[in-house]
Amino acid sequence: QVQLVESGGGLVQAGGSMRLSCAASGLTFSWYSTGWFRQAPGKEREFVAASSRSGGPTSYGDSVKGRFTISRDNGKNTVYLQMNSLRPEDTAVYYCAAGANRATMNYWGQGTQVTVSS
């Protein structure tokens, strides 16, 4: 059974930093691209960042470029999202995902809430 479990969410002030982690089990982690997505209340799910299987090529949504960094440790079956210079508009539930590529994510975590106060 495939499981993706996010952790590291919470409350932070604007301008602060936070790191999310996502631990995967039940799959050969290094075979999959991984990504982070977010969904704010009343809004559609938004792409945040994606990493290739090797962790090399990465891509980011326009709203987080230059502030967020995705990385992964295949030895630990874990993907991370380092978030810096956080803004109130970054408030959302953040989900990690794994799949063939950023457009085809087969597995999803349960999500972790990130709240940025102004």
Side-chain angles (χ1 to χ4, degrees), residues 29-113:
F29 187 69
S30 59
W31 288 4
Y32 294 87
S33 295
T34 52
W36 289 93
F37 298 77
R38 68 187 183 186
Q39 189 165 21
K43 295 188 177 181
E44 294 187 351
R45 187 171 61 198
E46 176 187 14
F47 167 72
V48 174
S51 170
S52 65
R53 291 179 292 177
S54 67
T58 56
S59 59
Y60 295 91
D62 289 341
S63 62
V64 306
K65 281 181 183 176
R67 300 187 298 123
F68 290 12
T69 303
I70 187 172
S71 62
R72 61 190 289 167
D73 184 336
N74 286 345
K76 295 182 178 180
N77 287 3
T78 301
V79 59
Y80 305 96
L81 184 68
Q82 178 66 43
M83 306 184 291
N84 298 328
S85 301
L86 283 160
R87 305 167 181 169
E89 54 264 39
D90 293 317
T91 295
V93 177
Y94 283 71
Y95 299 90
C96 71
N101 51 61
R102 64 178 265 190
T104 310
M105 291 293 177
N106 305 103
Y107 305 107
W108 293 83
Q110 82 288 350
T112 186
Q113 176 71 46

